[in-house]
Amino acid sequence: MVKENQLKLHNSLTGQKETFEPINLDNVGMYVCGPTVYSNVHLGNVRTFMSFDMIYRYLKFLGYKVRYVRNITDAGHLTDDGNVENDRFVKQSKLEKLEPMEIVQKYTVDFHKVLEKFNLLPPTIEPTATGHILEQITLTEKLINLGLAYEVNGSVYFDVEAYNKKGLNYGELSNRNIEELINNTRDLDGQGEKKNPVDFALWKNASPAHIMRWSSPWGEGFPGWHLECTVMSTKYLGDFFDIHGGGMDLKFPHHECEIAQAKGCNGHEPVKYWMHANMLTMNGQRMSKSTGNYILPMQLVNGENDFFEKPFHPSVVRFCFLQAHYRSVLDISNDAMLASEKGYNRLMEAIKTLDGLTTSATSSVNIQDWVNKLYAAMDDDFNTPILIAHLFDGVKMINSIKDGSETITASDLELVETTIKGFVFEVLGLQAAEEANANTEKLDGVIKMLIDMRLQARADKNWALSDQIRDQLAELGIQLKDGKDGTTYTF
């Protein structure tokens, strides 16, 4: 049964906080745009997926039955509608000398490993673009028949002006004026084969050299990037569902195009609440490979980087990320991570203290008021920084009970324990201190012991044993790196 709460969330479509009222009582349909699996998942992407993991967790915590759909983009992600050579999968497959689907498999596995490391719950459905080619073709045909798309040289484009002439308002999510978009873009890009430069690809004709290709009524080709999410979200959640989420960078053009495709086909809004998570910066600057201000998620965990003085456990990283509101820009730095580690340890130490507290006949603290504040924080657009501040009020309260300056009854102590553990472990998704610290230290000790054994084997010229240790660790996902300063390892 769903807890009766006044949950409010920020709807990007209206720009307002709105009371959350699911379309179907006690059931929630949520779609989040997943990764494009042509490279390792970025740390900023992890923050986005962690934000929606927190939202998913809280909805479940309240008692909702949630169908959470997060897709895998494994085809058709063009950086430029006009140039099929900008297909990211094709470019990466040439770079790594692998088949495109080998690229997909390699980085899908990496994506899942990283998210599991940071304790993200898997979605209930994780569909792929290549698994829904027929549905994308069908949707494209429907848009053509409705006069909202047109074919040119084997490619099909969505006709934005035709859409707007029906009063459907392309640009409503990002508050962009279609006439300004057309005028500002025409001089820069030229018309090409599109009627207007703001038109976007539904299906692209594949050149003879293009590897990823499927048969269609318009010849061999591949789907445009925006089409898959409309197809998969409506297939698994219906043509009107509760929540659609993603990074702020997807608001335009991706989510704008999704709305246009769905409204064009069905004549109404596809989503009740649009939600967007903000970006991640490091040391006050945007993270970018080109500037060198860049770090992979696992490099933050294993310490293999030049930005942070030590490795940080995934739960410490998670705690750091959730100290900022999901709609705020989050900046990470060495000092911020060290402070988060201290705060995380304080929180976990307080939870461990609960078992040893002495109860009294009366409580000198108002536990229900504290519990209400925790729910109120999360009910205010999933305000995790306020939630964490109230959790630390609970830490002070626990420590005061421990030193005897406050008292608590047995029933109130039980309420404190179930509540704080519920919000810390179930909602925030943190792991217990003994899991986060002791297990890491034990594993580090075992690996270092094996590294020492391998070094001794090499000194004894026992190359077979040396290679065996290295290869068996590699099979477990642990890579040894020999350098001038000794042997290190990464996951």
Side-chain angles (χ1 to χ4, degrees), residues 2-8 19-21 58 61-62 64 371-372 374-380 423:
V2 175
K3 180 179 173 62
E4 291 187 13
N5 274 49
Q6 284 297 307
L7 172 61
K8 293 182 181 295
T19 301
F20 180 64
E21 297 176 343
Y58 188 59
F61 188 70
L62 291 178
Y64 288 107
V371 170
N372 292 342
L374 299 180
Y375 280 101
M378 288 300 290
D379 288 342
D380 184 16
F423 277 96

Side-chain angles (χ1 to χ4, degrees), residues 237-469:
L237 298 174
D239 60 17
F240 185 52
F241 57 94
D242 297 293
I243 296 172
H244 193 315
M248 198 76 74
D249 58 314
L250 297 182
K251 185 183 286 189
F252 185 89
H254 184 53
H255 290 163
E256 200 73 74
C257 294
E258 279 192 61
I259 291 175
Q261 290 165 163
K263 283 181 71 174
C265 276
N266 301 317
H268 59 75
E269 293 287 350
V271 177
K272 192 170 184 181
Y273 306 100
W274 284 89
M275 301 182 70
H276 292 92
N278 217 324
M279 65 185 293
L280 178 74
T281 60
M282 185 166 68
N283 296 321
Q285 298 179 358
R286 190 184 183 97
M287 293 182 69
S288 168
K289 284 184 179 179
S290 61
T291 62
N293 192 53
Y294 181 81
I295 184 174
L296 288 171
M298 295 311 298
Q299 291 175 323
L300 187 55
V301 171
N302 61 32
E304 296 286 326
N305 65 83
D306 297 325
F307 301 99
F308 298 89
E309 67 182 62
K310 57 176 287 188
F312 293 96
H313 190 276
S315 273
V316 173
V317 178
R318 187 173 179 115
F319 182 71
C320 177
F321 283 13
L322 293 173
Q323 286 184 100
H325 191 271
Y326 77 92
R327 287 193 295 113
S328 300
V329 175
L330 168 65
D331 185 63
I332 59 168
S333 64
N334 187 66
D335 288 345
M337 287 304 304
L338 290 173
S340 294
E341 187 174 56
K342 289 179 181 177
Y344 166 81
N345 288 334
R346 276 186 62 212
L347 183 59
M348 292 301 163
E349 190 59 37
I351 291 173
K352 286 170 64 178
T353 300
L354 286 169
D355 288 338
L357 293 183
T358 301
T359 58
S360 304
T362 59
S363 292
S364 61
V365 285
N366 190 331
I367 302 303
Q368 190 58 55
D369 181 60
W370 172 72
V371 170
N372 292 342
K373 287 179 180 178
L374 299 180
Y375 280 101
M378 288 300 290
D379 288 342
D380 184 16
D381 193 27
F382 309 96
N383 201 325
T384 54
I386 299 300
L387 169 68
I388 290 170
H390 290 317
L391 286 171
F392 278 107
D393 290 338
V395 169
K396 292 177 185 176
M397 177 178 64
I398 290 167
N399 290 332
S400 294
I401 295 167
K402 180 184 177 182
D403 65 25
S405 58
E406 300 284 3
T407 61
I408 192 168
T409 64
S411 59
D412 275 352
L413 178 58
E414 183 180 357
L415 178 59
V416 169
E417 184 168 8
T418 55
T419 302
I420 197 168
K421 287 183 177 179
F423 277 96
V424 169
F425 301 135
E426 295 179 45
V427 176
L428 295 181
L430 303 178
Q431 292 176 299
E434 56 268 22
E435 295 176 84
N437 297 321
N439 288 347
T440 300
E441 291 174 4
K442 288 177 183 177
L443 178 61
D444 184 61
V446 170
I447 295 173
K448 285 180 178 177
M449 179 183 70
L450 290 169
I451 289 173
D452 290 341
M453 289 174 62
R454 179 170 174 265
L455 289 173
Q456 187 59 50
R458 288 164 68 109
D460 295 339
K461 297 187 178 181
N462 188 347
W463 309 119
L465 178 58
S466 171
D467 292 346
Q468 182 183 4
I469 293 171

Side-chain angles (χ1 to χ4, degrees), residues 21-29 64-65 237 240-242:
E21 297 176 343
I23 297 164
N24 298 305
L25 185 66
D26 296 352
N27 291 273
V28 177
Y64 288 107
K65 182 179 180 182
L237 298 174
F240 185 52
F241 57 94
D242 297 293

